[in-house]
Amino acid sequence: MKRKYFGTNGVRGIIGDLMTPQFVVNMTSAIANFIGNKGTVVVGSDARVSSPFIKNAVLSSLIASGIEVIDVGTVPTPLTQFAVKHLKAKLGIMITASHNPPQFNGLKVIASDGIELSVNDQIAIEKIYAEHDYHIASWDKLYNVTKLTLIDEYLDSIISNVDQSLIEKKHLKVVVDGGNAVGSIVTPLLMKRLGIKVYSVNSHLDGTFPGRGSEPLPSMLSVMGETAKQTKADFAVAHDGDADRAIFGNEKGEVYWGDKSIALFEKWTLSKEKTKIFVTPVSSSKVVLDIANQLNGKVIWTPVGCIYVSRKMMESGSFIGGEENGGLFYRKHIPVRDGAMAAALMANIIAETSSPLSDLINELPNYYQKKDKIPCPNELKDKVLKYISENVGKAEEIITLDGVKLVYENSWSLIRPSGTEPIFRIFVEASSQERADQLLSEGKSLINLAIKNFS
Ligand code: MG
């Protein structure tokens, strides 16, 4: 059975379209039935305009099913994930659409270990939903909703994983761009507790995301960069709408894509830990492989999607994972993406090395990257992908975990169908601009040939 409602990051849709009170109540009833209509479920929500109505539907449905509910309030996704594990709850539901535009919202379902539910479990919930197999508890078996604030416990967990006294001694300065979203609730507080002077931008909560949108694209972070320059901050950090990702800027106001910062976190962690494994999706930069090789470590590639990274970290004993979108997974805290954890770790690295962030990033290997997309009807995707994998030329290594990745000595290309849109994506990376251009044009020709073959 293929999933109909769950995507890469839970159930997500537009308010009034997929996301209606009826849909949310029924889907939540299916989730309650999936855990046998008993036990404790933690619920958190982001600061979207629609989150209160969805949360009330979720709470109503859960308590009617006989579930004990703990409401942790308006918080980042990683805080809800931390709460599920910390409180030993059976499950968690986070109401969020992450970086999507304000008209979207959704439900992320979290397993008892704090990691998002596996695809098989998502399919099991969809089956219950499709069969309308819901349960209403008898009137004398109904619980109330307990409200709990866990911000201190969550920040304690992050702080216990960095060198607080070292960071305090350095009197660092940081600019935090919360994007008018829940990151503003935790990251400025965390930075202050580490003795860092905080300058905030887009810090008031507003579910219309008026500042710079809910996705922290480097091109949208000029205010953060300019503020870092003006205040002579040591670094700047921006979160997405549910603060599980962190995009960094340096002391000069330059903003980096996540592949640079995750490589820095990888370098720092692999140089300290005995288990030198970095877990990352196949779409990540070769920089992470270079760093692992320098430190006698290894990279484990996964399909694209944070669940795969988290689960592979648990399986391999890895302490760290990362995604090029700015997702950092730090297992000693929680093995899921956490933007605030990333900010604290960055402060620790800058404090420990006493180097400007620009120097730390410039020390990393540099590659030329290109990305493009080609329209392809959804029904042709499987055939097209099969044709491509049978007709790619020779490469040093061919990885087929997610699409087809061709690895050469100093370059690679990845062709994969989008999980959500009728397109094929192509990513290439090379040590020269010319080679990157060549790989992009070869890849695009192959995709077009394959599509033509079947249409
Ligand atoms: Mg997110």
Side-chain angles (χ1 to χ4, degrees):
M1 184 176 150
K2 271 201 168 182
R3 293 174 298 171
K4 187 171 168 195
Y5 300 103
F6 281 87
T8 325
N9 288 109
V11 176
R12 223 174 262 183
I14 294 174
I15 299 305
D17 180 18
L18 177 70
M19 299 303 281
T20 62
Q22 292 76 11
F23 171 78
V24 175
V25 164
N26 290 344
M27 186 53 82
T28 307
S29 300
I31 294 167
N33 202 356
F34 169 73
I35 55 167
N37 300 296
K38 57 178 188 285
T40 307
V41 172
V42 172
V43 179
S45 56
D46 73 10
R48 281 169 191 271
V49 178
S50 58
S51 287
F53 106 63
I54 295 182
K55 188 178 220 169
N56 280 302
V58 166
L59 296 179
S60 170
S61 178
L62 287 175
I63 52 179
S65 303
I67 300 282
E68 278 192 81
V69 181
I70 296 176
D71 175 3
V72 291
T74 304
V75 292
T77 294
L79 195 150
T80 303
Q81 294 179 290
F82 167 82
V84 172
K85 207 175 157 206
H86 183 74
L87 299 169
K88 299 187 171 60
K90 213 161 183 180
L91 206 83
I93 298 178
M94 178 68 195
I95 295 150
T96 182
S98 183
H99 60 276
N100 282 158
Q103 64 272 30
F104 282 81
N105 213 330
L107 309 174
K108 272 189 192 180
V109 188
I110 302 155
S112 57
D113 58 3
I115 302 174
E116 268 179 70
L117 226 51
S118 70
V119 173
N120 282 342
D121 288 345
Q122 293 171 2
I123 290 171
I125 290 172
E126 288 206 7
K127 194 161 172 279
I128 299 171
Y129 173 85
E131 290 165 358
H132 308 289
D133 186 8
Y134 313 136
H135 170 85
I136 300 290
S138 105
W139 66 270
D140 56 345
K141 298 273 186 317
L142 300 176
Y143 294 93
N144 204 342
V145 174
T146 307
K147 290 198 176 199
L148 206 57
T149 301
L150 284 173
I151 292 180
D152 283 340
E153 288 81 352
Y154 167 74
L155 296 183
D156 288 345
S157 168
I158 294 176
I159 291 169
S160 71
N161 283 296
V162 293
D163 190 338
Q164 184 173 13
S165 61
L166 174 74
I167 298 169
E168 279 171 354
K169 275 185 211 140
K170 298 286 176 162
H171 304 291
L172 300 177
K173 290 189 273 188
V174 65
V175 176
V176 178
D177 181 346
N180 304 108
V182 287
S184 293
I185 296 170
V186 294
T187 303
L189 208 57
L190 170 68
M191 295 290 105
K192 274 173 81 174
R193 278 189 58 185
L194 291 169
I196 301 171
K197 187 166 183 181
V198 183
Y199 300 92
S200 287
V201 293
N202 299 319
S203 61
H204 68 286
L205 298 189
D206 184 332
T208 65
F209 308 122
R212 46 85 175 161
S214 50
E215 179 154 30
L217 299 169
S219 59
M220 300 298 284
L221 301 175
S222 53
V223 174
M224 177 182 88
E226 195 51 41
T227 311
K229 213 161 88 182
Q230 301 246 338
T231 57
K232 299 190 167 52
D234 295 279
F235 71 101
V237 59
H239 298 305
D240 68 325
D242 64 339
D244 58 352
R245 287 159 49 190
I247 291 290
F248 290 92
N250 69 15
E251 73 288 354
K252 297 175 187 166
E254 295 159 350
V255 181
Y256 302 109
W257 279 105
D259 53 359
K260 300 280 185 193
S261 49
I262 61 165
L264 198 59
F265 293 134
E266 176 199 16
K267 189 175 172 184
W268 190 80
T269 307
L270 263 50
S271 64
K272 288 186 187 300
E273 301 290 353
K274 274 197 180 128
T275 307
K276 297 181 190 300
I277 299 173
F278 185 69
V279 181
T280 194
V282 284
S283 53
S284 292
S285 169
K286 184 172 179 291
V287 177
V288 299
L289 192 60
D290 295 342
I291 301 278
N293 289 339
Q294 280 168 21
L295 296 166
N296 291 323
K298 77 169 191 177
V299 170
I300 296 182
W301 304 106
T302 70
V304 176
C306 61
I307 307 179
Y308 303 111
V309 177
S310 293
R311 298 270 169 221
K312 194 50 95 176
M313 282 173 69
M314 299 305 284
E315 221 179 281
S316 65
S318 157
F319 288 103
I320 184 161
E323 294 174 327
E324 47 112 32
N325 61 14
L328 168 78
F329 306 64
Y330 197 69
R331 186 162 64 98
K332 285 180 172 171
H333 166 52
I334 33 171
V336 297
R337 290 196 292 225
D338 190 330
M341 181 72 236
L345 216 51
M346 185 60 86
N348 200 146
I349 293 172
I350 292 171
E352 200 178 292
T353 55
S354 296
S355 294
L357 181 54
S358 60
D359 285 358
L360 294 171
I361 298 284
N362 285 337
E363 285 165 13
L364 299 170
N366 195 31
Y367 290 98
Y368 296 88
Q369 293 178 335
K370 293 211 142 188
K371 293 179 185 183
D372 212 337
K373 50 190 175 187
I374 290 175
C376 172
N378 282 332
E379 62 274 15
L380 290 186
K381 279 178 178 172
D382 288 347
K383 283 188 208 165
V384 167
L385 184 62
K386 189 164 178 282
Y387 179 90
I388 291 171
S389 44
E390 284 165 357
N391 289 280
V392 288
K394 277 197 176 144
E396 273 191 23
E397 193 185 356
I398 298 177
I399 301 171
T400 53
L401 280 169
D402 191 345
V404 184
K405 182 175 182 177
L406 302 169
V407 186
Y408 308 97
E409 195 180 341
N410 273 314
S411 59
W412 58 269
S413 67
L414 171 69
I415 295 171
R416 57 183 289 269
S418 160
T420 49
E421 297 169 71
I423 53 169
F424 261 81
R425 294 184 191 282
I426 172 160
F427 305 72
V428 304
E429 193 182 57
S431 47
S432 74
Q433 187 71 55
E434 297 72 37
R435 176 69 175 146
D437 289 339
Q438 183 202 359
L439 281 174
L440 188 74
S441 99
E442 281 175 12
K444 281 171 73 176
S445 305
L446 182 59
I447 303 169
N448 281 323
L449 184 69
I451 294 171
K452 212 174 137 198
N453 210 24
F454 295 108
S455 41

